Structures are given as structure tokens and as C-alpha cells.
Amino acid sequence: ANNAIKRKKAQSYPIPQITTKVENHQLAVDFLKSVNSWIAYEKGYIKITYAPAEDRVLFYNSDHTGAVGRSLRPAKAKWWTYGTVEGGITVGKGDHVILVEDVPSACAISQLNGYVGLSLLGTDLTRPIRKALSSYEKVTLVLDNDASAKAIMMTRKYDQIDCIRLTKKDLKWLTTEQIQNLLQ
């Protein structure tokens, strides 16, 4: 027991009390459009708000008990975690789930019919995420080329993953057609 590896839990902050619609802050709208997240927001696939005190765009999980916030100004920590997000953040509707590292990439996936983007909020499959995967017909893992060893290890460890795709660019920077080509 003394030699057991103790994982440091990521620091989580309480969800800000005061938030506003992203439409009330043009920089938030511009950011969402620049990372392929605006359409998912407009379609109601994900709740997104703006926290003025932190100058962050907040992407919420499906039950709104947690969120991740992206700073719109230079900050020591670009991303903050609020509340509970061990189950990742799911965006879209369909029976084919695409596991990705960040929420904007999950939003980009949701633009494709029949696909759901599930942000791992990193590169680990937590127990709640693994449990959720059983509700999908197909599971694909998409990670950056620099995480190829991790992707291969995950597919060997978890038989729920049907296939992997590696990419040079985050999905949030790709067009819908480029994402579709990557997944085929």
C-alpha cells in the first residue's frame, strides 16, 4: 500500500454564481465560432455561458453539475474545471461516439449527423466515461499524433474502443469535410 501510486485530483472550482449568455459578449461569440463550437451551441447540443468575473467561456456537462472554462485573455491556466466533470462532456446526437481530448473538438464532431463528440478533458478514460460508452453502437478514439502511444495503449486496455484515428491538427480547427474524411 505504501508503494501505491496516488493520482493528484485536478483542482475544481465552484461554478460561478454570475454568468450570462455568450451572445452578450462578442469576444465569447468570436471564440466559439473560431473553434467550431458555435453550431453545437445554436443547436442546443451543449450549454455554454460566459463568466464575466473570470473572463471565461464555460462549457457544461449534460446534467450541469460541472463545466470547463476557457479563458479569453492570456492566463496562467487556459482551462479551469468547475464542479464535477468525471464523465467528460458529451455533445451531439447519434449512435457513434468520438472520444476527443477537449470540448471544442467534441462540438466540432457534433456537426456531423449521427455522431456524438465526447470530450475526455484530457487523455484518460474515467470509470463514468467507460460506463457511458455502452450506450453507443460504435466508439472511435481520436487523438493528436503526439499521443499515439497513449491511444494504442487505451485501445488495448479497453475493448469498448472500436478504432482509433490520429490527427496532426485538433478537430476544432478542421472543416466538417476534413473531420468526415478523418473518420472514414
Side-chain angles (χ1 to χ4, degrees), residues 52-107:
E54 291 89 3
D55 194 21
R56 289 182 183 273
V57 173
L58 275 59
F59 297 84
Y60 291 80
N61 62 4
S62 58
D63 62 6
H64 305 161
T65 58
V68 292
R70 170 61 158 82
S71 178
L72 295 180
R73 62 178 176 234
K76 184 176 172 185
K78 236 193 272 190
W79 289 94
W80 277 0
T81 301
Y82 300 93
T84 305
V85 290
E86 293 105 15
I89 296 180
T90 306
V91 187
K93 293 182 180 181
D95 56 11
H96 185 166
V97 66
I98 310 297
L99 306 175
V100 296
E101 290 182 52
D102 60 44
V103 182
S105 294
C107 289

Side-chain angles (χ1 to χ4, degrees), residues 37-178:
S37 298
W38 183 252
I39 293 172
Y41 171 70
E42 279 190 317
K43 287 185 175 182
Y45 291 157
I46 185 169
K47 177 182 176 182
I48 303 173
T49 63
Y50 173 70
E54 291 89 3
D55 194 21
R56 289 182 183 273
V57 173
L58 275 59
F59 297 84
Y60 291 80
N61 62 4
S62 58
D63 62 6
H64 305 161
T65 58
V68 292
R70 170 61 158 82
S71 178
L72 295 180
R73 62 178 176 234
K76 184 176 172 185
K78 236 193 272 190
W79 289 94
W80 277 0
T81 301
Y82 300 93
T84 305
V85 290
E86 293 105 15
I89 296 180
T90 306
V91 187
K93 293 182 180 181
D95 56 11
H96 185 166
V97 66
I98 310 297
L99 306 175
V100 296
E101 290 182 52
D102 60 44
V103 182
S105 294
C107 289
I109 288 291
S110 74
Q111 295 177 72
L112 304 175
N113 289 332
Y115 288 89
V116 174
L118 197 163
S119 171
L120 303 175
L121 304 173
T123 58
D124 289 324
L125 276 178
T126 63
R127 185 168 299 187
I129 291 173
R130 290 193 314 266
K131 186 177 177 185
L133 295 181
S134 63
S135 61
Y136 297 99
E137 288 182 24
K138 188 170 182 180
V139 178
T140 300
L141 174 65
V142 178
L143 294 178
D144 297 340
N145 283 341
D146 62 344
S148 60
K150 176 87 175 196
I152 292 167
M153 183 275 304
M154 288 170 71
T155 55
R156 288 182 178 158
K157 186 174 181 180
Y158 305 111
D159 61 355
Q160 296 160 295
I161 299 172
D162 298 310
C163 66
I164 60 172
R165 294 287 185 262
L166 300 173
T167 179
K168 292 178 182 169
K169 283 183 165 179
D170 278 357
L171 298 178
K172 64 183 166 259
W173 306 122
L174 301 179
T175 65
T176 305
E177 184 179 318
Q178 289 171 319

Side-chain angles (χ1 to χ4, degrees), residues 26-39 42 111 172-173:
Q26 189 59 46
L27 288 176
V29 172
D30 294 343
F31 168 74
L32 292 174
K33 288 180 178 180
S34 75
V35 293
N36 278 324
S37 298
W38 183 252
I39 293 172
E42 279 190 317
Q111 295 177 72
K172 64 183 166 259
W173 306 122

